[in-house]
Amino acid sequence: MIKAAEKNGVPIVNITVGERKYSFVNKCSHFGCDLTKGSLHGHSLICICGWQYDLNTGRAMNHPMAELERVT
Ligand code: FES
């Protein structure tokens, strides 16, 4: 499940996969797209124009220098 939310005025994306919960700033490292429009594939998120993120690390799987900003 992918849900948009806000924390301290910052748009975030909350993702639930089974028992695991992940929260990131809602801004793709590629062109800043809305991550809530992406799709889940196991414990990864595919943004609408193709970058795939490992939810456990926040890193883009094909662009290892790119990383989502985790929200705690
Ligand atoms: S903006 Fe997310 S993959 Fe391009």
Side-chain angles (χ1 to χ4, degrees):
M1 178 187 344
I2 305 173
K3 280 190 168 180
E6 191 177 291
K7 185 172 184 180
N8 300 326
V10 176
I12 64 173
V13 56
N14 289 323
I15 300 168
T16 304
V17 180
E19 303 281 313
R20 298 290 309 270
K21 295 184 186 306
Y22 307 92
S23 293
F24 299 98
V25 171
N26 189 6
K27 185 176 179 183
C28 181
S29 299
H30 182 215
F31 282 134
C33 284
D34 179 351
L35 295 168
T36 66
K37 298 189 184 320
S39 59
L40 289 173
H41 293 262
H43 290 265
S44 70
L45 172 73
I46 300 180
C47 186
I48 52 174
C49 57
W51 283 27
Q52 184 170 7
Y53 292 94
D54 180 332
L55 294 172
N56 291 302
T57 64
R59 291 212 172 100
M61 296 163 78
N62 296 327
H63 305 274
M65 298 303 286
E67 190 172 352
L68 298 177
E69 185 178 341
R70 193 176 300 278
V71 175
T72 56

